Amino acid sequence: MPSISRRNLLRAGVGFGAAGALGLPAGAGAQARTRPLRLGVLTDMTGFYSNIGGPGSVEAVRMAVEDFGGRVRDLKIEVLQGDHQNKPDVGSGIARRWIDEQGVGAILDVPTSSVALAVQALTREKGVVAIYGTAASESLTNEECSPTGIQYVYDTYSIAHVTAKATIADGGDTWFFVTADYAVGHALEKSVSEVVAASGGKILGAVRAPLGTVDFSSFLLQAQMSKAKIVAFASAGLDTVNAIKQAQEFGLVNGGQRLVGLLLFLSDIDALGLDAAQGSLFATSFYWDADEGSRAWSKRYFERMRRMPNDVQAGLYSATTHYLKGVQAAGPVGIDAVRWMTNNEVTDFFAKPGRIGRNGRLYKDMYLAEVKKPSESKGRWDCLKLVATSPAGQSFKSEADSKCKVRPI
């Protein structure tokens, strides 16, 4: 019998990226052609980042599937969820089982950059689509890019450029970092430090806080003693929430220092409360109250989750919809769907508009947000002021400057 290429198996609908691993016997084609298109939301369901992605990410993907009609190319769409516990081995293990045993065609969200990089290596090998919502590492669209990998919401480069440039322009030219001692914390500090230096600012110091730190007192004391105008938290999730809350208690803001959360989210502001978070600056790609379109979609999300969405959740809805359009137009083979996604503009309440570059980066406008004072807020979710817009071309590293060499799309 002549050999059958993996690509031809995929075009026949076998496994949507995992047919070779499944080893389907002769005669299994009819069953495989009716297999659902499965999307796996791989996220942190209970840990440090569960309020950023977690159940909210799963629900955003489900909303997109429902709004698409629940089917694509006459195939039922199913959404799976997995908790990677912020561990690369756990995350890659779940992803491998999904691909090899359940024929998952796309994996979405993937908080924690170390987990995302492990999943990137696996999906690159398997030819499966990976769409990153929460993962921030710029490496995903740079030296560790993949032909089927897409980083959709933000990255360390955009966070650094949007936040640092605007803050320095407003007089915040001396910085001190409280950095989470893991990959993305280090990447954020490095990226922001480069922008600060290039913009004429100075770094007065930095401290490393272990992931999951509860007591930040010693780190905040050093930040306070530095007299830096800006105290930047290169961390995310509960680490950032706890650090900012304790910084307010230590009197850093009352003493004239300004707090910058480099990976801060609407869900974090809600957890902190405006008393603790007021005046904090951070970069975001979406705010629910920005315009009529964002308000309309966010109201629907709120009816399901009883909380407003952050930029990760809005981005995952947009990404899922764009991916399903790609499958509808080009078929379920990962590279074909991604090629369609790259060659067609994203126009919706999230991107308005956006385009996916040949390095796998979604290029769209970013915003600098400032947390409102309690006296400025009209209600629980009325938290932010969008004080500056950063155009897509200035927010993200250009395709020409990317080290990505493996996307022949």
Side-chain angles (χ1 to χ4, degrees):
M1 178 182 293
S3 63
I4 301 174
S5 72
R6 177 177 177 275
R7 184 176 180 83
N8 287 337
L9 279 170
L10 289 167
R11 287 193 178 279
V14 181
F16 303 145
L22 287 170
L24 292 173
Q31 179 180 358
R33 281 192 294 271
T34 61
R35 165 177 275 176
L37 177 67
R38 294 191 172 110
L39 314 181
V41 184
L42 186 60
T43 189
D44 175 4
M45 294 296 289
T46 57
F48 294 107
Y49 309 126
S50 57
N51 277 342
I52 300 171
S57 290
V58 176
E59 197 62 33
V61 172
R62 286 177 175 156
M63 281 181 68
V65 169
E66 290 175 17
D67 288 349
F68 204 81
R71 303 184 73 85
V72 61
R73 289 192 162 223
D74 204 34
L75 298 170
K76 181 182 178 182
I77 307 167
E78 293 182 355
V79 177
L80 310 181
Q81 66 182 60
D83 185 355
H84 62 42
Q85 303 171 43
N86 300 304
K87 299 176 181 177
D89 57 337
V90 173
S92 59
I94 293 171
R96 186 176 295 277
R97 289 194 298 274
W98 276 352
I99 295 168
D100 289 351
E101 299 173 14
Q102 296 180 274
V104 163
I107 294 175
L108 301 102
D109 196 17
V110 203
T112 309
S113 291
S114 58
V115 181
L117 289 167
V119 169
Q120 182 88 316
L122 176 65
T123 52
R124 185 192 300 119
E125 171 195 340
K126 298 285 188 178
V128 169
V129 174
I131 302 175
Y132 302 101
T134 309
S137 176
E138 181 195 339
S139 297
L140 292 165
T141 56
N142 208 35
E143 64 271 15
E144 298 297 335
C145 70
S146 163
T148 53
I150 298 171
Q151 196 169 22
Y152 208 83
V153 180
Y154 51 73
D155 58 22
T156 49
Y157 184 97
S158 63
I159 292 165
H161 281 71
V162 173
T163 308
K165 284 183 177 179
T167 304
I168 291 173
D170 194 39
D173 56 0
T174 55
W175 289 59
F176 187 95
F177 290 92
V178 179
T179 300
D181 195 10
Y182 68 115
V184 76
H186 298 166
L188 282 169
E189 182 188 323
K190 180 177 183 294
S191 294
V192 174
S193 296
E194 290 172 353
V195 177
V196 170
S199 303
K202 294 182 179 180
I203 307 301
L204 301 187
V207 289
R208 303 282 189 270
L211 184 65
T213 294
V214 176
D215 182 3
F216 284 86
S217 57
S218 63
F219 308 120
L220 294 172
L221 182 61
Q222 294 177 67
Q224 194 171 44
M225 292 176 63
S226 75
K227 305 297 184 182
K229 295 177 184 177
I230 303 297
V231 177
F233 299 97
S235 55
L238 286 177
D239 285 344
T240 305
V241 169
N242 289 333
I244 290 177
K245 187 176 294 185
Q246 291 173 41
Q248 291 283 10
E249 294 169 356
F250 261 73
L252 270 68
V253 174
N254 289 338
Q257 292 178 295
R258 199 164 194 185
L259 309 182
V260 169
L262 297 178
L263 264 178
L264 201 58
F265 300 87
L266 181 67
S267 45
D268 298 329
I269 305 306
D270 183 59
L272 279 163
L274 296 186
D275 281 332
Q278 60 182 301
S280 298
L281 296 171
F282 64 99
T284 187
S285 58
F286 169 85
Y287 180 47
W288 73 268
D289 200 22
D291 56 38
E292 189 173 324
S294 60
R295 283 190 289 272
W297 180 81
S298 298
K299 181 180 178 181
R300 294 177 52 224
Y301 180 93
F302 182 86
E303 290 170 353
R304 299 168 73 121
M305 294 298 293
R306 311 314 300 173
R307 61 190 302 124
M308 286 298 180
N310 60 29
D311 50 350
V312 168
Q313 292 143 6
L316 285 171
Y317 176 95
S318 173
T320 302
T321 302
H322 197 54
Y323 166 69
L324 293 175
K325 288 179 179 178
V327 173
Q328 184 68 51
V333 178
I335 192 67
D336 292 342
V338 170
R339 182 179 292 111
W340 185 94
M341 294 170 73
T342 302
N343 291 331
N344 288 270
E345 192 174 74
V346 184
T347 304
D348 59 16
F349 69 91
F350 177 77
K352 55 186 179 188
R355 66 173 185 85
I356 296 172
R358 298 183 185 278
N359 55 354
R361 170 73 260 163
L362 176 71
Y363 288 89
K364 67 175 295 294
D365 291 351
M366 293 282 289
Y367 311 98
L368 183 71
E370 180 180 355
V371 180
K372 289 183 174 182
K373 299 175 183 178
S375 60
E376 297 173 318
S377 174
K378 298 177 182 178
R380 176 179 175 185
W381 297 102
D382 181 25
C383 302
L384 305 180
K385 296 180 288 187
L386 301 183
V387 297
T389 298
S390 177
Q394 298 176 22
S395 299
F396 298 98
K397 179 174 286 187
S398 71
E399 295 172 71
D401 291 334
S402 172
K403 297 178 182 177
C404 180
K405 305 298 182 186
V406 299
R407 289 178 62 94
I409 295 173

